[in-house]
Amino acid sequence: MSDEAIEETLGKVVKLLAYITDKDLFAEFYRKKLARRLLFDRSANDDHEKCILTKLKQQCGGQFTSKMEGMIVDLTLARDNQLKFQEYLNENSDVNPGIDLTVTVLTTGFWPSYKSFDLRLPSEMVKCVEVFKGFYETRTKHRKLTWIYSLGTCNIIGKFDPKTIELIVSTYQAAALLLFNTADKLTYSEIMTQLNLNNEDLVRLLHSLSCAKYKILLKEPNTKTISPNDIFEFNSKFTDKMRRIKIPLPPVDERKKVIEDVDQDRRYAIDAAIVRIMKSRKVLGHQQLVLECVELLSSMFKPDIKTIKKRIEDLITRDYLERDKDNPNTFKYLA
């Protein structure tokens, strides 16, 4: 498609948004998808990403796209940060991470929330993380790094008997495979202890390496499911016609998490709307407060009446509002 045709298509997509009630839910799903495109370099064209954000901003306002615009700016700063890291390594010959390392430093407030686990990294990875921390502390003293290993990727060299193959894996998969540099066989519980992972994540991880298309690990017993009694060993006889293969992790359905996050944000939005209305009106009847709250929020989502009532009660318990002593259906704003 030509640039003109793409821009026309994006315009039609944005126009459809006017007919969607839950615009905040759309925004959160879009932000999740945009984050993955940006972080894994899957975006077809940066200009098209900026184009649709401009159109969304015109349609829904600056608040709708502020986090997404922040993500794009963040990546530009992250690339600059990586160049400074390379300069730091070149200038400090005594500092050597041991492996090629690329770190994307992001601003928490712009990006979707990701689970950060205390993955126990192998010694090879610990060293390079410490080197980057040392570099980052020379750049700023007031920011703390939180490592999101679930978004990381690694290229590791698998030395199999038939031939050497480059494996493109997640940080979790790499951490698990590196354990077999010092052990012939490991039990499920030993891997769990050494990596410090929970059952759910470990099952996904081991399934991808021993039960899926590429069986980098051999499993006893040789079944299609992972159990706590399994024993794993490195498959030295593994081979493939390609010299480089990507081993995917089974996808996680993020829909439930997105909906939960949006519900939480809606509670905050309803609280803010109620306080804003009551601050300007001082005294207001229940029915009028609910109507004004719905009207104020309807540009982003249609608030549930029961939820508004719950938020009013919560604000009363937190001393933002109080009921009129003579008329319990009338509320007063407490400054």
Side-chain angles (χ1 to χ4, degrees):
M1 292 173 71
S2 67
D3 285 348
E4 292 78 11
I6 288 171
E7 188 162 346
E8 185 183 346
T9 303
L10 295 179
K12 290 176 180 177
V13 170
V14 173
K15 280 180 184 175
L16 280 175
L17 189 58
Y19 300 96
I20 295 176
T21 307
D22 297 331
K23 292 182 179 63
D24 58 338
L25 193 57
F26 167 84
E28 193 60 24
F29 274 112
Y30 188 86
R31 194 162 68 104
K32 278 270 188 185
K33 299 292 185 185
L34 175 62
R36 296 198 75 82
R37 290 199 299 275
L38 294 176
L39 292 174
F40 297 111
D41 202 22
R42 291 177 187 160
S43 182
N45 189 304
D46 285 350
D47 290 336
H48 295 156
E49 297 286 9
K50 291 173 184 174
C51 173
I52 194 165
L53 287 184
T54 301
K55 292 180 184 298
L56 287 169
K57 189 175 185 176
Q58 290 167 349
Q59 177 95 357
C60 304
Q63 190 178 354
F64 190 84
T65 57
S66 60
K67 289 183 178 180
M68 300 178 215
E69 290 171 322
M71 286 159 59
I72 290 176
V73 172
D74 236 15
L75 272 196
T76 306
L77 295 174
R79 292 186 192 111
D80 179 59
N81 202 58
Q82 181 63 27
L83 291 173
K84 292 285 192 295
F85 179 51
Q86 290 302 326
E87 290 173 10
Y88 171 81
L89 294 179
N90 294 335
E91 292 166 4
N92 297 273
S93 54
D94 57 317
V95 178
N96 182 8
I99 58 179
D100 290 335
L101 175 69
T102 301
V103 179
T104 307
V105 181
L106 308 174
T107 306
T108 307
F110 294 143
W111 297 79
S113 58
Y114 298 102
K115 289 194 289 186
S116 60
F117 296 107
D118 294 326
L119 172 68
R120 191 172 290 124
L121 293 174
S123 56
E124 299 93 330
M125 293 183 180
V126 170
K127 185 181 178 184
C128 62
V129 165
E130 291 302 323
V131 167
F132 188 84
K133 279 183 182 175
F135 155 74
Y136 197 68
E137 284 169 3
T138 66
R139 304 273 293 165
T140 177
K141 300 292 182 188
H142 307 292
R143 293 185 178 181
K144 181 188 174 188
L145 289 172
T146 302
W147 295 83
I148 312 292
Y149 299 122
S150 58
L151 294 175
T153 56
C154 296
N155 290 33
I156 62 175
I157 304 301
K159 294 184 177 179
F160 305 97
D161 292 345
K163 67 177 182 179
T164 297
I165 300 174
E166 185 177 347
L167 309 175
I168 303 170
V169 292
S170 72
T171 305
Y172 283 44
Q173 291 169 314
L177 289 173
L178 287 172
L179 297 178
F180 290 88
N181 280 342
T182 54
D184 294 328
K185 290 187 177 184
L186 289 168
T187 64
Y188 177 95
S189 58
E190 284 171 337
I191 296 171
M192 174 183 266
T193 302
Q194 290 194 52
L195 295 182
N196 193 36
L197 288 179
N198 61 37
N199 277 299
E200 183 184 350
D201 289 307
L202 188 59
V203 166
R204 283 180 67 239
L205 170 61
L206 292 174
H207 189 278
S208 72
L209 296 171
S210 63
C211 302
K213 180 180 179 181
Y214 302 113
K215 294 177 174 56
I216 309 300
L217 300 179
L218 297 175
K219 185 173 81 69
E220 298 173 18
N222 185 18
T223 58
K224 289 289 182 184
T225 55
I226 303 294
S227 80
N229 300 318
D230 290 343
I231 299 171
F232 300 86
E233 69 173 304
F234 178 66
N235 181 8
S236 59
K237 301 289 189 290
F238 175 81
T239 190
D240 192 83
K241 61 183 179 181
M242 306 295 288
R243 293 205 167 271
R244 174 190 281 192
I245 57 174
K246 184 174 184 178
I247 305 172
L249 266 173
V252 177
D253 187 4
E254 296 179 331
R255 193 165 304 177
K256 185 181 176 185
K257 173 76 166 59
V258 171
I259 292 171
E260 286 174 358
D261 287 347
V262 170
D263 282 342
Q264 182 66 46
D265 288 341
R266 284 182 178 181
R267 287 197 283 274
Y268 296 142
I270 292 169
D271 283 0
I274 293 169
V275 171
R276 194 177 305 141
I277 293 163
M278 290 303 298
K279 195 172 183 179
S280 63
R281 304 294 290 274
K282 304 303 181 190
V283 178
L284 204 59
H286 178 271
Q287 194 66 26
Q288 189 63 28
L289 176 56
V290 170
L291 287 172
E292 289 193 25
C293 186
V294 170
E295 187 179 346
L296 192 61
L297 297 169
S298 58
S299 63
M300 284 300 289
F301 66 95
K302 189 177 180 181
D304 179 58
I305 304 300
K306 288 181 181 176
T307 305
I308 294 176
K309 290 179 179 177
K310 284 181 183 176
R311 302 319 303 160
I312 291 171
E313 293 300 329
D314 187 65
L315 288 168
I316 290 171
T317 60
R318 290 191 282 151
D319 294 331
Y320 282 91
L321 312 177
E322 69 173 0
R323 293 184 187 276
D324 187 274
K325 293 181 175 61
D326 300 322
N327 184 356
N329 279 329
T330 300
F331 304 106
K332 292 180 179 178
Y333 175 69
L334 298 176

